[in-house]
Amino acid sequence: MNMSRFSEKILLFFFILIGLLLRYLPFLNELAESPVLFYQPDNLYYVRRVMTILNNFPEIPKFDYYLNYSEAVDFPSPPFYPFFLSLVSWIITLGKTNLHVVELVTSGVAALSGSLICIPVYLISKKIMGKKYALMASFISVFMPLHYWYTNAIDGDHHALESLMALFLFNSFMEVYKDNSLKEITKFAICLLIIFLIWQGAILY
């Protein structure tokens, strides 16, 4: 299949756009007003954790006051995901705290992660099967029912970003296997670090 790199990027951008539309359009009413009715408790947990970080920054609470009431408990998940959500929310609101913005950022990161999955799928498939089948696999990945449902705008959580990083990690592993240069090893190490900072269960990958 004779296709320029620019054309490939245009198609991938189109796939991402389709993925975002699919993950947002059915849920615009739910996202229009706060509080957003998330389908999973993990979403609400991260919204609350981000609000706790923003309301107490620069002091960062060491315990989750709402779990194991009334004694509290250490945060059960690594810090990367809630701090990433907090940073994005803080930038959008110019340093202010807004619950609806935090809810929209939480839903947006999950939906964007689910849509971006077509990129590592394309990179991995291209190494194995070539451009034609890589584009087909990339396109199909946007529509996979279980992945779609878990990464729509009101149903995704940290596992959406984790799945994306797991595929980038696998692609990076393939690059290291082919060319064990310092550059590729560094990229692999960064992917490995990020995925463990998202979820400690990433050791399963």
Tab-separated table of all heavy atoms in Angstrom, residues 134-167:
chain	number	residue	atom	x	y	z
A	134	ALA	N	-2.033	-2.516	9.441
A	134	ALA	CA	-1.856	-1.682	10.636
A	134	ALA	C	-2.949	-0.619	10.714
A	134	ALA	O	-3.508	-0.351	11.774
A	134	ALA	CB	-0.481	-1.033	10.631
A	135	LEU	N	-3.259	-0.011	9.572
A	135	LEU	CA	-4.331	0.994	9.534
A	135	LEU	C	-5.690	0.366	9.826
A	135	LEU	O	-6.523	0.944	10.524
A	135	LEU	CB	-4.339	1.685	8.174
A	135	LEU	CG	-3.203	2.684	7.931
A	135	LEU	CD1	-3.178	3.135	6.480
A	135	LEU	CD2	-3.338	3.896	8.861
A	136	MET	N	-5.901	-0.833	9.322
A	136	MET	CA	-7.155	-1.534	9.606
A	136	MET	C	-7.281	-1.845	11.090
A	136	MET	O	-8.333	-1.621	11.697
A	136	MET	CB	-7.229	-2.822	8.778
A	136	MET	CG	-7.393	-2.603	7.287
A	136	MET	SD	-7.261	-4.128	6.324
A	136	MET	CE	-8.635	-5.068	7.016
A	137	ALA	N	-6.206	-2.365	11.668
A	137	ALA	CA	-6.216	-2.686	13.095
A	137	ALA	C	-6.408	-1.431	13.941
A	137	ALA	O	-7.137	-1.435	14.941
A	137	ALA	CB	-4.913	-3.384	13.477
A	138	SER	N	-5.756	-0.350	13.532
A	138	SER	CA	-5.870	0.924	14.242
A	138	SER	C	-7.307	1.432	14.227
A	138	SER	O	-7.835	1.895	15.249
A	138	SER	CB	-4.933	1.945	13.613
A	138	SER	OG	-5.036	3.195	14.236
A	139	PHE	N	-7.938	1.339	13.066
A	139	PHE	CA	-9.325	1.783	12.927
A	139	PHE	C	-10.266	0.942	13.786
A	139	PHE	O	-11.128	1.460	14.501
A	139	PHE	CB	-9.738	1.714	11.456
A	139	PHE	CG	-11.142	2.183	11.190
A	139	PHE	CD1	-11.475	3.515	11.348
A	139	PHE	CD2	-12.129	1.295	10.792
A	139	PHE	CE1	-12.766	3.969	11.108
A	139	PHE	CE2	-13.417	1.733	10.543
A	139	PHE	CZ	-13.744	3.067	10.701
A	140	ILE	N	-10.079	-0.374	13.762
A	140	ILE	CA	-10.934	-1.280	14.525
A	140	ILE	C	-10.773	-1.054	16.024
A	140	ILE	O	-11.734	-1.153	16.794
A	140	ILE	CB	-10.624	-2.751	14.161
A	140	ILE	CG1	-11.048	-3.031	12.719
A	140	ILE	CG2	-11.314	-3.720	15.114
A	140	ILE	CD1	-10.606	-4.384	12.188
A	141	SER	N	-9.548	-0.716	16.453
A	141	SER	CA	-9.290	-0.550	17.897
A	141	SER	C	-10.135	0.551	18.512
A	141	SER	O	-10.480	0.495	19.703
A	141	SER	CB	-7.804	-0.257	18.134
A	141	SER	OG	-7.448	1.034	17.639
A	142	VAL	N	-10.486	1.553	17.710
A	142	VAL	CA	-11.303	2.661	18.217
A	142	VAL	C	-12.717	2.199	18.564
A	142	VAL	O	-13.364	2.746	19.451
A	142	VAL	CB	-11.359	3.793	17.162
A	142	VAL	CG1	-12.297	4.908	17.603
A	142	VAL	CG2	-9.968	4.361	16.923
A	143	PHE	N	-13.189	1.147	17.871
A	143	PHE	CA	-14.574	0.700	18.013
A	143	PHE	C	-14.740	-0.542	18.893
A	143	PHE	O	-15.865	-1.000	19.076
A	143	PHE	CB	-15.173	0.379	16.635
A	143	PHE	CG	-15.199	1.547	15.705
A	143	PHE	CD1	-14.171	1.761	14.808
A	143	PHE	CD2	-16.252	2.447	15.727
A	143	PHE	CE1	-14.187	2.841	13.944
A	143	PHE	CE2	-16.282	3.533	14.869
A	143	PHE	CZ	-15.242	3.734	13.980
A	144	MET	N	-13.660	-1.119	19.391
A	144	MET	CA	-13.789	-2.355	20.168
A	144	MET	C	-14.788	-2.143	21.309
A	144	MET	O	-14.589	-1.245	22.146
A	144	MET	CB	-12.430	-2.787	20.719
A	144	MET	CG	-11.469	-3.271	19.660
A	144	MET	SD	-9.959	-3.990	20.347
A	144	MET	CE	-9.286	-2.587	21.251
A	145	PRO	N	-15.859	-2.935	21.367
A	145	PRO	CA	-16.976	-2.654	22.287
A	145	PRO	C	-16.576	-2.510	23.753
A	145	PRO	O	-16.939	-1.522	24.397
A	145	PRO	CB	-17.902	-3.862	22.082
A	145	PRO	CG	-17.603	-4.324	20.709
A	145	PRO	CD	-16.146	-4.093	20.494
A	146	LEU	N	-15.821	-3.479	24.285
A	146	LEU	CA	-15.473	-3.409	25.703
A	146	LEU	C	-14.559	-2.224	25.984
A	146	LEU	O	-14.744	-1.504	26.978
A	146	LEU	CB	-14.797	-4.709	26.136
A	146	LEU	CG	-14.454	-4.815	27.626
A	146	LEU	CD1	-15.717	-4.669	28.480
A	146	LEU	CD2	-13.760	-6.136	27.924
A	147	HIS	N	-13.589	-2.011	25.101
A	147	HIS	CA	-12.676	-0.877	25.277
A	147	HIS	C	-13.438	0.445	25.157
A	147	HIS	O	-13.208	1.377	25.932
A	147	HIS	CB	-11.559	-0.934	24.236
A	147	HIS	CG	-10.623	0.221	24.289
A	147	HIS	ND1	-9.738	0.401	25.321
A	147	HIS	CD2	-10.444	1.274	23.442
A	147	HIS	CE1	-9.050	1.514	25.128
A	147	HIS	NE2	-9.459	2.060	23.992
A	148	TYR	N	-14.351	0.499	24.183
A	148	TYR	CA	-15.154	1.718	24.014
A	148	TYR	C	-15.964	2.013	25.262
A	148	TYR	O	-15.997	3.146	25.758
A	148	TYR	CB	-16.083	1.589	22.805
A	148	TYR	CG	-17.227	2.575	22.834
A	148	TYR	CD1	-17.002	3.915	22.552
A	148	TYR	CD2	-18.516	2.174	23.204
A	148	TYR	CE1	-18.031	4.844	22.610
A	148	TYR	CE2	-19.545	3.095	23.258
A	148	TYR	CZ	-19.304	4.419	22.968
A	148	TYR	OH	-20.326	5.327	23.036
A	149	TRP	N	-16.642	0.998	25.772
A	149	TRP	CA	-17.510	1.225	26.921
A	149	TRP	C	-16.717	1.646	28.153
A	149	TRP	O	-17.150	2.469	28.942
A	149	TRP	CB	-18.333	-0.024	27.225
A	149	TRP	CG	-19.313	0.217	28.327
A	149	TRP	CD1	-19.318	-0.313	29.577
A	149	TRP	CD2	-20.441	1.110	28.286
A	149	TRP	NE1	-20.365	0.180	30.315
A	149	TRP	CE2	-21.070	1.054	29.548
A	149	TRP	CE3	-20.969	1.948	27.295
A	149	TRP	CZ2	-22.202	1.811	29.844
A	149	TRP	CZ3	-22.096	2.692	27.602
A	149	TRP	CH2	-22.695	2.613	28.849
A	150	TYR	N	-15.506	1.089	28.286
A	150	TYR	CA	-14.716	1.391	29.475
A	150	TYR	C	-14.017	2.735	29.374
A	150	TYR	O	-13.515	3.254	30.370
A	150	TYR	CB	-13.679	0.291	29.717
A	150	TYR	CG	-13.261	0.192	31.163
A	150	TYR	CD1	-13.996	-0.560	32.068
A	150	TYR	CD2	-12.148	0.880	31.635
A	150	TYR	CE1	-13.637	-0.632	33.400
A	150	TYR	CE2	-11.783	0.812	32.963
A	150	TYR	CZ	-12.532	0.058	33.833
A	150	TYR	OH	-12.181	-0.006	35.157
A	151	THR	N	-13.977	3.314	28.166
A	151	THR	CA	-13.268	4.588	28.004
A	151	THR	C	-14.185	5.693	27.498
A	151	THR	O	-13.687	6.699	26.987
A	151	THR	CB	-12.083	4.435	27.020
A	151	THR	OG1	-12.578	3.987	25.749
A	151	THR	CG2	-11.063	3.453	27.540
A	152	ASN	N	-15.505	5.515	27.613
A	152	ASN	CA	-16.376	6.628	27.210
A	152	ASN	C	-16.302	7.740	28.253
A	152	ASN	O	-15.709	7.571	29.318
A	152	ASN	CB	-17.817	6.147	26.966
A	152	ASN	CG	-18.500	5.684	28.233
A	152	ASN	OD1	-18.647	6.436	29.183
A	152	ASN	ND2	-18.918	4.420	28.249
A	153	ALA	N	-16.913	8.855	27.957
A	153	ALA	CA	-16.700	10.077	28.733
A	153	ALA	C	-17.198	10.000	30.172
A	153	ALA	O	-16.769	10.790	31.004
A	153	ALA	CB	-17.363	11.259	28.027
A	154	ILE	N	-18.103	9.077	30.486
A	154	ILE	CA	-18.583	9.001	31.871
A	154	ILE	C	-18.360	7.623	32.487
A	154	ILE	O	-18.986	7.280	33.481
A	154	ILE	CB	-20.083	9.370	31.975
A	154	ILE	CG1	-20.925	8.467	31.083
A	154	ILE	CG2	-20.304	10.826	31.635
A	154	ILE	CD1	-22.418	8.688	31.272
A	155	ASP	N	-17.464	6.854	31.892
A	155	ASP	CA	-17.257	5.504	32.417
A	155	ASP	C	-15.790	5.130	32.569
A	155	ASP	O	-15.478	4.038	33.001
A	155	ASP	CB	-17.937	4.485	31.485
A	155	ASP	CG	-18.304	3.204	32.212
A	155	ASP	OD1	-18.797	3.291	33.341
A	155	ASP	OD2	-18.079	2.123	31.640
A	156	GLY	N	-14.880	6.016	32.182
A	156	GLY	CA	-13.469	5.668	32.227
A	156	GLY	C	-12.809	6.064	33.534
A	156	GLY	O	-13.287	6.929	34.259
A	157	ASP	N	-11.715	5.408	33.852
A	157	ASP	CA	-10.919	5.782	35.026
A	157	ASP	C	-9.440	5.632	34.676
A	157	ASP	O	-9.076	5.697	33.503
A	157	ASP	CB	-11.316	4.963	36.258
A	157	ASP	CG	-11.174	3.460	36.023
A	157	ASP	OD1	-10.534	3.070	35.029
A	157	ASP	OD2	-11.698	2.678	36.831
A	158	HIS	N	-8.601	5.393	35.659
A	158	HIS	CA	-7.163	5.340	35.396
A	158	HIS	C	-6.769	4.175	34.492
A	158	HIS	O	-5.715	4.200	33.859
A	158	HIS	CB	-6.393	5.260	36.712
A	158	HIS	CG	-6.657	4.024	37.512
A	158	HIS	ND1	-7.839	3.808	38.183
A	158	HIS	CD2	-5.897	2.926	37.734
A	158	HIS	CE1	-7.797	2.644	38.798
A	158	HIS	NE2	-6.639	2.084	38.533
A	159	HIS	N	-7.615	3.143	34.411
A	159	HIS	CA	-7.283	2.003	33.562
A	159	HIS	C	-7.296	2.361	32.080
A	159	HIS	O	-6.680	1.663	31.266
A	159	HIS	CB	-8.249	0.850	33.833
A	159	HIS	CG	-8.098	0.258	35.202
A	159	HIS	ND1	-6.916	-0.316	35.627
A	159	HIS	CD2	-8.964	0.156	36.239
A	159	HIS	CE1	-7.067	-0.748	36.872
A	159	HIS	NE2	-8.293	-0.466	37.264
A	160	ALA	N	-8.004	3.429	31.711
A	160	ALA	CA	-7.996	3.876	30.320
A	160	ALA	C	-6.596	4.353	29.931
A	160	ALA	O	-6.038	3.943	28.895
A	160	ALA	CB	-9.018	4.998	30.119
A	161	LEU	N	-6.002	5.209	30.763
A	161	LEU	CA	-4.641	5.688	30.505
A	161	LEU	C	-3.632	4.563	30.662
A	161	LEU	O	-2.647	4.475	29.912
A	161	LEU	CB	-4.306	6.833	31.459
A	161	LEU	CG	-2.927	7.487	31.297
A	161	LEU	CD1	-2.757	8.049	29.888
A	161	LEU	CD2	-2.723	8.577	32.340
A	162	GLU	N	-3.887	3.694	31.604
A	162	GLU	CA	-2.995	2.556	31.835
A	162	GLU	C	-2.938	1.632	30.613
A	162	GLU	O	-1.855	1.171	30.212
A	162	GLU	CB	-3.493	1.799	33.063
A	162	GLU	CG	-2.834	0.463	33.294
A	162	GLU	CD	-3.748	-0.470	34.044
A	162	GLU	OE1	-4.677	0.002	34.726
A	162	GLU	OE2	-3.536	-1.681	33.933
A	163	SER	N	-4.096	1.365	30.002
A	163	SER	CA	-4.134	0.511	28.809
A	163	SER	C	-3.369	1.152	27.660
A	163	SER	O	-2.649	0.475	26.912
A	163	SER	CB	-5.583	0.264	28.389
A	163	SER	OG	-6.304	-0.383	29.408
A	164	LEU	N	-3.523	2.460	27.522
A	164	LEU	CA	-2.793	3.187	26.479
A	164	LEU	C	-1.291	3.068	26.690
A	164	LEU	O	-0.530	2.766	25.763
A	164	LEU	CB	-3.220	4.656	26.473
A	164	LEU	CG	-2.486	5.584	25.499
A	164	LEU	CD1	-2.817	5.207	24.053
A	164	LEU	CD2	-2.859	7.042	25.778
A	165	MET	N	-0.839	3.293	27.931
A	165	MET	CA	0.587	3.232	28.228
A	165	MET	C	1.122	1.808	28.118
A	165	MET	O	2.285	1.610	27.764
A	165	MET	CB	0.854	3.794	29.626
A	165	MET	CG	0.652	5.288	29.755
A	165	MET	SD	1.586	6.239	28.518
A	165	MET	CE	3.267	5.673	28.827
A	166	ALA	N	0.281	0.813	28.400
A	166	ALA	CA	0.713	-0.585	28.275
A	166	ALA	C	1.050	-0.909	26.821
A	166	ALA	O	2.033	-1.614	26.532
A	166	ALA	CB	-0.380	-1.516	28.786
A	167	LEU	N	0.250	-0.390	25.894
A	167	LEU	CA	0.523	-0.623	24.470
A	167	LEU	C	1.766	0.144	24.010
A	167	LEU	O	2.562	-0.365	23.218
A	167	LEU	CB	-0.689	-0.231	23.631
A	167	LEU	CG	-1.853	-1.223	23.688
A	167	LEU	CD1	-3.080	-0.644	22.992
A	167	LEU	CD2	-1.462	-2.539	23.052
